[in-house]
Structures are given as structure tokens and as C-alpha cells.
Amino acid sequence: MAMATDVPKNGFRLSMLVYDTRYRSYTIQLVVLVLFAMAVAWLLNNTVQNLEARGKEFNFGFLWQRAGYDIGQQLIPYNNDDNHFRALLVGLANTLVVAFWGCIFATVLGVIIGVLRLSKNWLVGRLMTVYVEIFRNVPLLLWILLTYVILSEITPAPNAFRLTDEMIAAGTAPAAEMMFFDSVAVTNRGTNIPAPLFERGLGSVDLGFMTLNLTFLAIVAVIAGSVYVNRRILASARATQEATGDRPVTWWKSILVLFAPVLLLFVMLGFHLEVPTLKGFNFSGGILVAHPFTAMVIALSLYTAAFIAEIVRAGIQAISRGQSEAAFALGLRPGRTMNLIILPQALRVIIPPLISQYLNLTKNTSLGIAVSYLDLRGTLGGITLNQTGRELECMLLMMLIYLSISLSISALMNMYNNSVQLKAR
Amino acid sequence: MKKSVFFGALAATTLVSGLAAAATLDDIKARGELICGSNTGLTGFGAPDASGNWSGFDVDLCRAVAAVVLGDATKVKFVPTTGETRFTALQSGEVDLLVRNSTWTFSRDSELALDFVAVNYYDGQGFMVKKDLGVSSAKELDGATVCIQTGTTTELNLADFFKQNNISYQPVTVADDSEAQRQYLAGACDAYTTDASGLAASRATMPDADTHIILPEIISKEPLGPVVRHGDSAWGDVVRWTYYALLVAEEKGVTSANVEEVATSTADEEVKRLLGVSGDMGAKMGLDNDAFKRAIAAVGNYGEIFSRNIGEGTAINLARGLNALWTQGGLQYAPPFR
């Protein structure tokens, strides 16, 4: 007791900020904070001064000026009279569509390769190892360029499809022919595929900033409805099975529910295919899937699949051998063991790193500029930036957009991750 | 104490960078080298040969400026820039001067805060196609795929031209001339469009030059010229008058071969001022008095530069056309040297 009261109650002295461990951490943090704030202030000040020195101002008004340039691939209506913001949206759509298909193909391919890499078949296992190592260790840009050059160099020019009068007279065929009953033409510019058209389409509604295609909406609604009804059928079948032990036959119901309404809708709308035909310099009609797009999807998928394969392999190897041994002991075949026992557990390990791969793939779409693919980097960060000279604004906007895309993907995937995590009750 | 050092350094840096932006001429003299933004490679206008020596019409203007400022036409460092990077390179001070087939436009002059000091080549946008395509006019290009360099004025003209003529096209955007050539030759595009002089230069390097034709339509005005940063008029004047000196030299018949002889024998007062024999024209710009004489001795007058790099008889084979002197019915016109 006496000891405790003996402790001198010294007042707070300034030197304690440096020598007393209780306060030193606060001092250090405060100093770092001040330095950091000064660095930020200096950067901002520097930027403002440099902009002033060049007689430039910081504003986003240029986005509403006429763009004046054309874009090869447009998923939303656009022409050169639209403004730079519209061009930005076209570029954003191009970025997203490549990222979307890239993620899907990369996942499918990556899971298959990751599983096959663990195959007991020596040859299959080694082949997959070679694949993974080759794709992981060569830069993505080279893969994109290689795919593009291969696509555009080995395919014939549109001219080669032409059947001239002399050819008919001589009885020779053109140098190149269309595939799949004369409906698909692969040229050195892209792949021309038939376009779905509706004779009695439902038209579209103009919302001001975009137009809503009612036909498309109707199809999506019908498909969603079919899928929902099918799930109800399966659920009721499962309930019956659990109650009685007999599972009612549902396959014909499923097929009917899934396909009949859509087919009926297609017939009602007057569905037909518009086949591309050679007219003038190029094929017209149908849909042109340009090679830059194809090259981007192929290269991004193959490259990212190698990384996903490694993630899947790691996930599977993280599951204890006892799990598969137990499954085999129950008489499950290897395929079912993988699907029902191993993969569901491995997903918990696989998904977090998988999110990073999706983010990487999405950001890597900005390499599309190398093959003239006009994505966000090509429109906003390329032509718009150049024509308007607004480097700072365009770059900031681009960073903001890529950041938003990444965070959205991350958030969605985290939701999925939470749903497959082990539920501890 | 620490803080005041920091702010002191900050103020000093700002001051130095501020001065650097203003006095390009002094910077170059101190550095002993002119940094010139050039094309990544356009034969005849600006391209390095196998051993890395740059030559061409635009390159010679850079050399003339180096001769004027530093007294040595070889003291130039060429920085290749693409259509996309050129203006940023100039604005950020990476290059002192940009001579790179760049079109003088309103928005570049005003919004980009650049100064175009002169027009060293009057050009217009054209189209090149393969002969076997059977096209004789750009208006027949409906539905064609067109290769176009990104970040250029030609990109915008192209969109306007096709819209005005109510025909359609599919753009293939490329980064520079060499990629455009590769795509065009590989057949990835039916037509290649850029400045007519650029087309002629490209065609000259193609293996089968006579199988390509340049269509008769010229769809735009493309005044090409050297560019400097806005706000350093003294430096802009040096570049401008270097160029005009070359024009005056041609007008007065002064060539790289006879410049020494003319300097001693001439009775023409304007030529005397040009060659630094009388007056103090060079000194007025912070240069030596015989600065322009050195430039003429090093690269020759405008006509010599033209005929050596891109004129008739070279592979590019461009006629003087609009770029003849005003005395010959062309547009090249230098203000009086007095």
C-alpha cells in the first residue's frame, strides 16, 4: 500500500513524447500523419500550379462535346455525332463484355485444367503442367498479339469469298468458302455470324440516356420464368422423394417448361436468322465479331485459366485425403467423389484467390489497345484524351471507373464466397 | 526547422521548374543538345536508318534549329513519339520542339496550349488502296474497312467525310504508321488514310509500291508544322525564324554549297542580314550573328531539304505543289528578313 502511494505523480512533460513508450507511438503516428498530409498537399499544389502554368483548367465539360470519331465495335447505339460521354459508355461496354466472357471461359477452362493436372494419368498430368507453365511465364501482351496475328494472318480476305463471272465460266470455286451451311464467314477482319432478327419485334422504349429493347426484355423474362417453374418442379420432386422414397419422373416436364415457352415466343415474334452476305468490300448483314475481340477473349481466357488452374489444384490438395478415401469406401465413383465431396469443400479455399484473378482479367482488358480493340482505355483513355487534351481528367475518370468495376466484382464474389463458406452454428 | 527546409526546397523546385518552362533556349544551350520530338518512323519525313542516324524532311528542320542554337547540326536527340504521345511529350517538357507531321488546328492551338510556329508542309488527307480493288474514287469506299491512326485529325476528318457522303465504313484504329502499313498490307483493311504525303512516304517503303494507288480525293487541309509550348515566345521565335531563314535562302538562291561565297560577295542587304554579314539579327534573339548561316550551311535551304528527302526523284516522289515558294505560285512565304 505504501509502495503504491510512493510512485511519484509527475506531471506530463514534453520530453515524455519522445522518451516514454506510452506516448512515443502517438508522437510517431502524428509525425507520419503530418508528413503524409504535406505530401498530399504538395502533390495537389504541384498539379494545380502546373495546370495553371499551361493555361489549363480542371473540368469535365469536355464529356458533353461532340466526339466526332467512330468506334468499330458498338454494343450500344453510337455515331460520331454523339458526345464523348457516350463514347465512354461504348468503351465501357466493350471492356465489360470482354471481361465477362473472359471470366466465364477462364473459369471453365481453369477448373478443368486444375483437376486434370492432378490426374493419375502421367501424360495428361504432364501436359497440363506444361500448359500452366507456358501461359504463366509469358507476358499476357504477347499472347494477345500472337492470337491476333494468327487470327488475321491465316484467315482469307473477304475478297477470297467472291465468285466472279470468270470463275463460273472456268468452273472454279472461290479461294475461301463460308462454313456451317454458308452462314458463317471467317475473314481476316473478323467472324461474320448470322444475326437473330424478329419480324414482329416489340420495338423499344427510349429512356433518354439509353433505349430499352422490349423484345430482348420479353425473352429474358420468359426464360427467367421457365427457370423458376423448373426449379419449383425439381423442389417438389425432391419433397416427394424425401416423403415417400420414390422420385417422380421430371425430365419431360423440365424440357417442356424450359424450352416450349421460349420457342413459342420466338415463333410469335417471327424469329429468323439474317445470314451475312458478301457485298462490296465486306460481308454485310449478320453480326461481325471482330478479331480484336476474339483475340482478347481467347488470350485473356487462356492466360487467366493457367492461374485459376493452380488455384483449383491448391484448393483440391488442401482437402485431406481421408475425405476421398471415405467417399471411395462408401462406393462413390471418382467423378462423383470430386463433384459431391471434394469440390464443394475446395471452393472455400478456391474462391478468395479466384476473386483476384477476375479482377486481374478485368484490368488486363486495357491491353486491348495493342490489337486496336476500343475498350474504355481505347475510347476515353485513347482517342478522347487525345482529341481533347484532357489527360488528367481522362486518367482520373478511367481510374475511378476501373476501381468501381473491380470493387463491384469483388463485392459480388464476396457475397458468393459467404454463401459457400462453412456455416458454423 | 525541418518544415522550413521542406518548404524552402518546395519553393526552390517550383521556381526552377517555372523558369525551366519559360526559357527553353537557355536550357538547350546549357544542355548542349536539342531534344526534338520526331515521328516513330516515316520515311522521308523522319526515320532512323539501320545505324540509328535520323534523316528526313522534318528531321532536317530539327538539325537546322540545332545549328542555329548550338552551332552544330548533329547535336540533336530525337525522341520518337506516336500520334497519341506527341503533345503530352511536348507539354511535359520531355522534348523542346516537336517536328512530326502535326496538323495546326484551332483546338490544338488554344485548348492544348501549344504554339504552331510555321507551316513547313501544306498537306491534305488522302486514301490509299490496292489497285486490284478496282476503286478509283474515295466515294466508292462504301462499306470498306479503313485503317486510321488514332489521336490524329485524320480520324475526325474520316468520320466527317463518310457522313457527308452518306456512306459507311468500319474503322481499324492503329497506333502508328508502321502498324497501319502492316495491317493494310495484311489485308486487314481495304484502305489506309492519312496525310497524302504520309501515304506517299508509306508507299515508297512497300515492297510492291506500284500495286497501290492514292485516290484523287483530298478531303481536308492539313497544314503541318513545328510545334512549341505555349508561353515561351522567345523560343517560338527562334524556331519560326530558323524555318523562315531557310525559305528566304531558297528565295534568294543561297544554298549549302554557295553560302560562304554569297556571304562575302553579296550586295543584297536582306541576304547580308540573313547571313549575319550586316545587322545584328542573331544577337537580337540571343543567338550568334551568323546562326542562320550555319543552319543553311548544315542542311541547305528549304528547296534543298525538300528535294533531298521527299521531292521528285526520291522514292517518295512528291511534287512541290502547294509547297512551292510564293514566287513560284506556291504557298511558302517568309515574312521579310528585316
Side-chain angles (χ1 to χ4, degrees):
Chain A
M1 197 74 170
M3 291 293 282
T5 50
D6 269 349
V7 172
K9 282 197 166 178
N10 284 344
F12 178 75
R13 280 171 289 115
L14 270 180
S15 62
M16 286 167 79
L17 283 176
V18 178
Y19 297 112
D20 192 320
T21 46
R22 284 173 298 172
Y23 301 112
R24 194 191 285 152
S25 63
Y26 291 110
T27 318
I28 294 171
Q29 290 192 37
L30 191 72
V31 168
V32 172
L33 180 70
V34 167
L35 286 179
F36 178 72
M38 272 161 59
V40 171
W42 179 74
L43 272 177
L44 286 177
N45 182 41
N46 195 6
T47 312
V48 170
Q49 279 193 349
N50 278 320
L51 282 176
E52 262 174 22
R54 290 198 209 143
K56 285 186 164 189
E57 50 174 359
F58 187 80
N59 85 57
F60 287 93
F62 70 96
L63 283 174
W64 312 111
Q65 290 167 5
R66 178 176 178 267
Y69 60 90
D70 287 295
I71 301 175
Q73 175 182 317
Q74 307 159 9
L75 298 174
I76 55 176
Y78 168 87
N79 68 54
N80 57 47
D81 281 330
D82 287 319
N83 57 29
H84 284 292
F85 184 70
R86 186 92 186 170
L88 180 164
L89 291 181
V90 174
L92 180 60
N94 287 349
T95 292
L96 291 178
V97 74
V98 163
F100 177 77
W101 288 112
C103 285
I104 288 183
F105 289 133
T107 312
V108 172
L109 213 63
V111 170
I112 294 174
I113 292 165
V115 171
L116 286 185
R117 208 182 159 188
L118 293 170
S119 165
K120 290 207 177 62
N121 183 322
W122 188 87
L123 187 64
V124 170
R126 286 303 155 282
L127 274 179
M128 293 306 136
T129 309
V130 168
Y131 170 87
V132 167
E133 293 308 328
I134 286 182
F135 275 89
R136 275 207 319 177
N137 293 307
V138 175
L140 174 58
L141 183 60
L142 299 186
W143 289 118
I144 294 176
L145 288 173
L146 180 73
T147 323
Y148 181 67
V149 169
I150 290 176
L151 279 174
S152 56
E153 296 283 339
I154 64 167
T155 46
N159 261 335
F161 290 84
R162 202 181 306 276
L163 186 64
T164 56
D165 291 336
E166 295 106 63
M167 280 179 179
I168 296 171
T172 52
E177 276 177 26
M178 292 170 77
M179 298 188 288
F180 302 114
F181 309 106
D182 277 356
S183 64
V184 174
V186 184
T187 71
N188 57 1
R189 287 149 203 194
T191 311
N192 294 276
I193 57 172
L197 283 187
F198 299 95
E199 238 163 66
R200 300 175 287 277
L202 299 175
S204 53
V205 181
D206 194 357
L207 294 181
F209 62 97
M210 61 178 290
T211 51
L212 266 184
N213 190 334
L214 288 178
T215 317
F216 179 72
L217 278 186
I219 293 169
V220 170
V222 167
I223 290 177
S226 302
V227 169
Y228 176 73
V229 172
N230 183 44
R231 285 181 73 154
R232 300 288 308 180
I233 292 173
L234 291 180
S236 83
R238 172 166 296 198
T240 316
Q241 185 182 20
E242 275 167 10
T244 66
D246 287 326
R247 190 180 174 88
V249 179
T250 57
W251 62 265
W252 60 270
K253 286 188 206 163
S254 288
I255 290 177
L256 199 67
V257 165
L258 280 180
F259 294 102
V262 177
L263 283 179
L264 202 66
L265 181 72
F266 273 32
V267 172
M268 269 167 55
L269 292 173
F271 174 80
H272 61 96
L273 286 175
E274 189 194 29
V275 176
T277 48
L278 187 61
K279 203 180 107 189
F281 300 97
N282 282 312
F283 281 88
S284 64
I287 299 171
L288 171 69
V289 184
H291 281 329
F293 173 78
T294 322
M296 286 299 290
V297 170
I298 293 177
L300 282 171
S301 312
L302 291 178
Y303 180 78
T304 313
F307 290 87
I308 293 182
E310 286 296 87
I311 293 169
V312 169
R313 181 174 67 103
I316 292 172
Q317 284 181 331
I319 307 304
S320 120
R321 285 184 64 81
Q323 294 284 320
S324 46
E325 283 165 2
F328 292 151
L330 284 172
L332 283 180
R333 276 172 278 123
R336 305 210 83 186
T337 307
M338 183 57 84
N339 284 337
L340 296 173
I341 312 287
I342 308 295
L343 273 184
Q345 298 188 75
L347 273 185
R348 284 186 285 128
V349 185
I350 290 172
I351 288 175
L354 195 63
I355 302 177
S356 309
Q357 289 308 320
Y358 287 167
L359 297 187
N360 278 346
L361 191 149
T362 309
K363 288 180 289 178
N364 284 339
T365 54
S366 56
L367 291 171
I369 194 75
V371 289
S372 311
Y373 184 70
L374 282 185
D375 62 348
L376 187 65
R377 160 77 183 80
T379 54
L380 176 66
I383 304 179
T384 294
L385 184 154
N386 254 289
Q387 300 293 4
T388 59
R390 301 272 177 184
E391 295 94 349
L392 200 62
E393 290 92 335
C394 287
M395 283 299 163
L396 282 178
L397 204 56
M398 219 163 39
M399 284 160 72
L400 193 71
I401 294 175
Y402 277 116
L403 186 70
S404 321
I405 299 175
S406 291
L407 289 179
S408 314
I409 295 174
S410 199
L412 279 177
M413 288 297 292
N414 276 325
M415 274 162 60
Y416 178 62
N417 190 30
N418 288 335
S419 73
V420 297
Q421 280 297 359
L422 194 63
K423 303 282 189 299
R425 293 191 173 89
Chain B
M1 175 63 195
K2 245 182 189 166
K3 235 180 198 174
S4 64
V5 168
F6 178 75
F7 280 118
L10 195 117
T13 336
T14 326
L15 205 66
V16 167
S17 61
L19 284 176
T24 316
L25 182 59
D26 296 336
D27 275 4
I28 298 167
K29 281 180 178 167
R31 197 192 302 129
E33 188 178 52
L34 171 74
I35 304 178
C36 199
S38 67
N39 209 307
T40 48
L42 184 62
T43 310
F45 284 87
D49 63 13
S51 49
N53 295 319
W54 286 77
S55 67
F57 182 76
D58 284 342
V59 164
D60 277 346
L61 185 53
C62 289
R63 295 209 188 281
V65 174
V68 160
V69 177
L70 302 167
D72 186 346
T74 59
K75 286 189 177 159
V76 193
K77 182 180 156 200
F78 291 97
V79 175
T81 56
T82 65
E84 275 196 305
T85 60
R86 53 187 166 174
F87 298 128
T88 317
L90 180 63
Q91 285 170 338
S92 64
E94 197 186 325
V95 300
D96 301 315
L97 163 72
L98 190 73
V99 195
R100 193 211 166 277
N101 318 74
S102 295
T103 306
W104 188 347
T105 69
F106 177 88
S107 62
R108 285 174 181 176
D109 212 337
S110 57
E111 278 169 49
L112 290 187
L114 301 173
D115 278 345
F116 285 77
V117 294
V119 177
N120 72 336
Y121 192 92
Y122 288 96
D123 209 343
Q125 182 178 354
F127 293 89
M128 178 163 62
V129 294
K130 294 190 179 100
K131 252 183 198 162
D132 59 15
L133 212 56
V135 172
S136 58
S137 156
K139 289 177 184 169
E140 294 168 24
L141 286 175
D142 191 10
T145 308
V146 182
C147 277
I148 175 83
Q149 287 185 52
T150 186
T152 61
T153 49
T154 52
E155 193 166 46
L156 307 179
N157 298 332
L158 178 73
D160 289 346
F161 174 78
F162 275 82
K163 197 172 69 180
Q164 273 158 20
N165 287 291
N166 209 9
I167 50 181
S168 67
Y169 73 106
Q170 178 79 17
V172 173
T173 43
V174 296
D176 54 30
D177 190 68
S178 61
E179 196 197 335
Q181 270 193 47
R182 193 182 64 72
Q183 298 252 30
Y184 169 75
L185 287 174
C189 42
D190 298 304
Y192 174 32
T193 180
T194 186
D195 299 338
S197 63
L199 290 178
S202 284
R203 188 169 67 163
T205 57
M206 288 180 182
D208 43 357
D210 6 316
T211 60
H212 306 277
I213 52 168
I214 294 170
L215 298 177
E217 281 88 354
I218 296 295
I219 65 168
S220 68
K221 289 184 290 188
E222 306 286 340
L224 312 177
V227 199
V228 296
R229 278 182 294 276
H230 185 81
D232 189 355
S233 317
W235 170 236
D237 288 345
V238 171
V239 178
R240 178 182 296 118
W241 284 97
T242 304
Y243 174 65
Y244 285 147
L246 301 179
L247 274 185
V248 174
E250 186 186 5
E251 192 181 321
K252 299 289 183 184
V254 184
T255 66
S256 55
N258 70 11
V259 63
E260 291 298 340
E261 182 207 326
V262 172
T264 52
S265 64
T266 183
D268 186 329
E269 281 304 318
E270 189 168 9
V271 175
K272 278 186 181 172
R273 284 191 296 271
L274 176 70
L275 301 181
V277 180
S278 70
D280 54 353
M281 306 304 247
K284 278 179 182 164
M285 291 194 143
L287 305 166
D288 302 334
N289 221 19
D290 63 346
F292 299 115
K293 188 175 110 186
R294 286 197 305 253
I296 298 164
V299 296
N301 64 36
Y302 181 81
E304 285 179 82
I305 295 173
F306 195 102
S307 60
R308 179 169 67 237
N309 293 302
I310 54 178
E312 281 163 316
T314 64
I316 294 149
N317 203 16
L318 290 168
R320 279 296 282 269
L322 291 175
N323 293 294
L325 288 183
W326 65 287
T327 48
Q328 316 283 321
L331 292 175
Q332 291 294 358
Y333 184 102
F337 215 90
R338 67 166 65 246

